[in-house]
Amino acid sequence: MRRTRHVQGSRLATAGIAAGAATLLAAGLSPAAQAVDRPSRSSAIANAASALVAHAGSLGLTALEGTSVRDVVVDPDGVQHVRYDRTYRRLPVLGGDFVVHLAADGSYRSADRATRDSISLASVTPEVAAPEAADLAVGALRAARPGEALKKVTAKPQLLVDALHGTPRLAWRTNVVAQDSLGNPVARTVLTDARTGARIDAWDSVETATGDGKSLYSGTVPLETTPSGSSYQLKDATRGGTYTGDAANRTDLCILGICISRAPSTVFTDADNHWGTGASSDRASAAVDAQYGTDETWDYYKNVHARNGIAGDGKGSYNRVHYGNSYNNAFWDDSCFCMTYGDGDGTQLGPLVALDVAGHEMTHGVTSKTAALTYSGESGGLNEATSDILGTLVEWYADNPSDPGDYLIGEKIVRSGFGKAALRFMDKPSKDGNSADCWSSSVGNLDVHYSSGVANHFAYLLAEGSGARTVNGVDYNSPTCNGTSVGGIGRDKLGAIWYRALTVYMTSSTNYAGARTATLSAAKDLYGAGSSEYDAVAAAWSAVGVG
């Protein structure tokens, strides 16, 4: 699953606690991080702006470059972290993002940069015209899907500076979207050298995550709804207005990156506030799962990480269920700030509305609003793994007896034709036949759903430890790549460390070595440099071959 849409066939392409020191300490913050008078968001931005001026040289900023704030994190102890995007001569810079870290008094501490090469281009006028870049990208999409009769193909090139792939250069980033023979969406993002026309990179961009209701997978669940005349809407005002609608088996039609028509999201209504029957023949049953998954994911981020909604702004997203025909996918889409779920083909996959899928897809939204991990290479694997890790923790958080917590991804949606018990396995990722257990120099060449295995394996080891064990009724046997035996520190600390690494230290270009550094920094912040938690993070990464 990915940040803008996905699960394909055999894989999931398919992001707080009440505020207060006691809650945050319970989540793992060290005593030194107890709450003080915290600076406001605007104060943090003002402090960071001063730091940009004073430290422009070390940040690689010149008079030709501009910045814009993407995200702000203020710790309970007043320490501030302000994340920026960069432009060069008003063009976006891919890999130009950075995070400024400030002390509680607003003074500059350090910065993390996605890339460190200085930008100096002789011209920002492309030699390859936009239509040529669009044609090259369309060709790349067709080449990636040989033998398929694609229709309604559109491409929208955007000129930018690519600092992510070596020496900064002028490039076209082209988003190509189309429909397959069933009318389901396919998409690819292609990065093209604007001087030579050479392809720099390409990746899939369909990420490819109080009444009650009878769901398909989670039993009978509570639902907050909205009275509307003599009936009720499946809309939750207590969680930012999140709602679930029926896509009526239609799909989106997007041209040049602009959706001229979207599959509907007609809000489900019910006369007695008892939703669904638990059977797929009732269209409301899948809606119950989707809404419940949204509720649990919202609550997990709020009650565990003090994040109020996907973007941290208290605004709800929405769900569309019954999208397309036999669509084996679920996806998060930034452009509509929504999750979309297919019904599956019934042979390999069933309706893709299971709890861990919802947690996975919404976590793509969190990633897009924070580190924005590029969806290719090792950073793409980390993007997918972030959704697997935190989506799994959503499932554990929900503590639902009909869908108990486990370290399997998508186990509820697979059918007999899929041939495996789950989409992915965190204790030993290679059990799916494709994913990597251990890091190697070639792991970034794998599909991001398979390169994610290294981080998934790390997360399992950090939470539970190596070797054979039974957890919540499921048998696991997690090996290590270096032959060591490692102990776990528990799921809560795993979640605290990974979330802080994502929101404070990771950038768009973070690779596995960078993820080790980011999680160690997070563990140091939360528990101290000499802590057993810090040592456990180091040991778990070494156990999967990183560092």
Side-chain angles (χ1 to χ4, degrees):
M1 295 177 248
R2 189 196 156 226
R3 193 171 53 86
T4 290
R5 305 177 175 173
H6 65 193
V7 158
Q8 287 187 340
S10 67
R11 56 211 172 148
L12 205 68
T14 25
I17 269 174
T23 298
L24 291 168
L25 283 167
L29 286 175
S30 63
Q34 294 183 29
V36 297
D37 290 334
R38 297 167 65 179
S40 66
R41 175 186 172 91
S42 59
S43 295
I45 292 172
N47 293 335
S50 298
L52 296 193
V53 175
H55 299 274
S58 64
L59 294 170
L61 295 171
T62 68
L64 296 177
E65 296 178 39
T67 60
S68 60
V69 174
R70 185 197 302 171
D71 192 34
V72 178
V73 174
V74 180
D75 295 340
D77 61 358
V79 173
Q80 303 145 53
H81 313 272
V82 182
R83 186 181 294 272
Y84 284 94
D85 289 308
R86 183 189 310 245
T87 61
Y88 177 81
R89 295 171 69 173
R90 299 187 177 182
L91 295 177
V93 178
L94 182 64
D97 53 303
F98 59 95
V99 186
V100 173
H101 307 289
L102 307 165
D105 63 3
S107 60
Y108 177 80
R109 279 186 171 178
S110 63
D112 286 299
R113 294 171 58 182
T115 56
R116 304 196 68 84
D117 288 334
S118 60
I119 304 174
S120 179
L121 303 184
S123 171
V124 291
T125 301
E127 296 181 28
V128 174
E132 183 180 354
D135 289 343
L136 290 169
V138 170
L141 176 63
R142 294 189 185 281
R145 306 183 73 87
E148 292 191 38
L150 301 180
K151 56 187 179 181
K152 297 181 179 179
V153 181
T154 63
K156 182 181 180 181
Q158 179 191 29
L159 192 63
L160 49 71
V161 176
D162 172 32
L164 196 60
H165 300 83
T167 302
R169 54 186 156 175
L170 198 64
W172 290 104
R173 178 172 57 192
T174 306
N175 295 320
V176 191
V177 297
Q179 292 182 358
D180 64 16
S181 59
L182 293 176
N184 295 317
V186 295
R188 196 159 177 82
T189 298
V190 181
L191 199 63
T192 306
D193 191 309
R195 184 178 63 85
T196 66
R199 186 188 306 174
I200 300 170
D201 199 358
W203 56 88
D204 289 337
S205 51
V206 172
E207 295 179 343
T208 168
T210 303
D212 59 66
K214 294 181 178 179
S215 69
L216 297 176
Y217 303 120
S218 295
T220 300
V221 296
L223 297 169
E224 295 293 330
T225 61
T226 300
S228 178
S230 59
S231 63
Y232 299 85
Q233 294 181 328
L234 195 50
K235 184 174 184 178
D236 185 351
T238 70
R239 295 179 176 91
T242 57
Y243 72 89
T244 298
D246 194 335
N249 299 108
R250 291 167 56 187
T251 59
D252 300 334
L253 174 60
C254 303
I255 299 176
L256 298 178
I258 300 174
C259 290
I260 60 175
S261 69
R262 284 195 177 274
S265 55
T266 307
V267 182
F268 278 86
T269 60
D270 188 86
D272 61 5
N273 214 16
H274 300 291
W275 305 77
T277 62
S280 57
S281 56
D282 185 337
R283 294 179 76 86
S285 298
V288 170
D289 283 274
Q291 187 72 18
Y292 172 67
T294 302
D295 292 351
E296 291 298 325
T297 305
W298 178 287
D299 290 353
Y300 169 75
Y301 277 106
K302 184 174 183 180
N303 295 333
V304 176
H305 300 300
R307 187 177 189 88
N308 190 19
I310 291 173
D313 58 3
K315 296 179 181 178
S317 54
Y318 66 93
N319 304 308
R320 299 182 298 181
V321 296
H322 306 303
Y323 181 89
N325 295 298
S326 301
Y327 187 47
N328 275 343
N329 208 343
F331 60 85
W332 167 265
D333 190 336
D334 281 332
S335 67
C336 65
F337 204 66
C338 68
M339 282 82 63
T340 301
Y341 301 92
D343 289 324
D345 60 9
T347 301
Q348 294 194 65
L349 300 177
L352 286 92
V353 289
L355 180 56
D356 58 353
V357 176
H360 178 112
E361 296 307 336
M362 291 181 71
T363 297
H364 278 305
V366 174
T367 299
S368 75
K369 296 297 183 181
T370 55
L373 289 156
T374 300
Y375 205 67
S376 65
E378 292 189 16
S379 60
L382 286 164
N383 188 316
E384 272 298 312
T386 295
S387 283
D388 281 351
I389 292 165
L390 294 173
T392 291
L393 293 179
V394 168
E395 186 179 71
W396 281 97
Y397 171 85
D399 194 23
N400 185 309
S402 295
D403 187 5
D406 53 49
Y407 294 98
L408 311 174
I409 309 299
E411 75 283 357
K412 284 288 188 179
I413 67 173
V414 297
R415 298 294 183 263
S416 59
F418 187 71
K420 291 182 282 289
L423 297 176
R424 290 191 286 282
F425 306 82
M426 295 181 71
D427 65 321
K428 189 177 181 183
S430 61
K431 286 195 292 188
D432 68 11
N434 295 290
S435 292
D437 291 336
C438 309
W439 182 87
S440 70
S441 59
S442 62
V443 76
N445 297 327
L446 296 176
D447 180 281
V448 294
H449 300 96
Y450 305 143
S451 61
S452 64
V454 179
N456 283 345
H457 192 192
F458 158 83
Y460 176 87
L461 290 171
L462 184 61
E464 301 292 347
S466 59
R469 69 192 64 236
T470 300
V471 183
N472 218 20
V474 180
D475 294 332
Y476 302 98
N477 193 353
S478 190
T480 61
C481 306
N482 60 0
T484 61
S485 178
V486 298
I489 61 173
R491 291 179 296 275
D492 291 348
K493 290 179 179 179
L494 161 66
I497 290 168
W498 195 271
Y499 178 79
R500 182 166 179 82
L502 174 73
T503 57
V504 173
Y505 293 109
M506 291 184 186
T507 67
S508 60
S509 68
T510 296
N511 58 13
Y512 273 111
R516 177 187 172 106
T517 300
T519 49
L520 284 171
S521 295
K524 178 181 177 182
D525 293 344
L526 294 169
Y527 308 110
S531 64
S532 59
E533 292 85 356
Y534 183 94
D535 292 342
V537 170
W541 277 123
S542 295
V544 298
V546 179

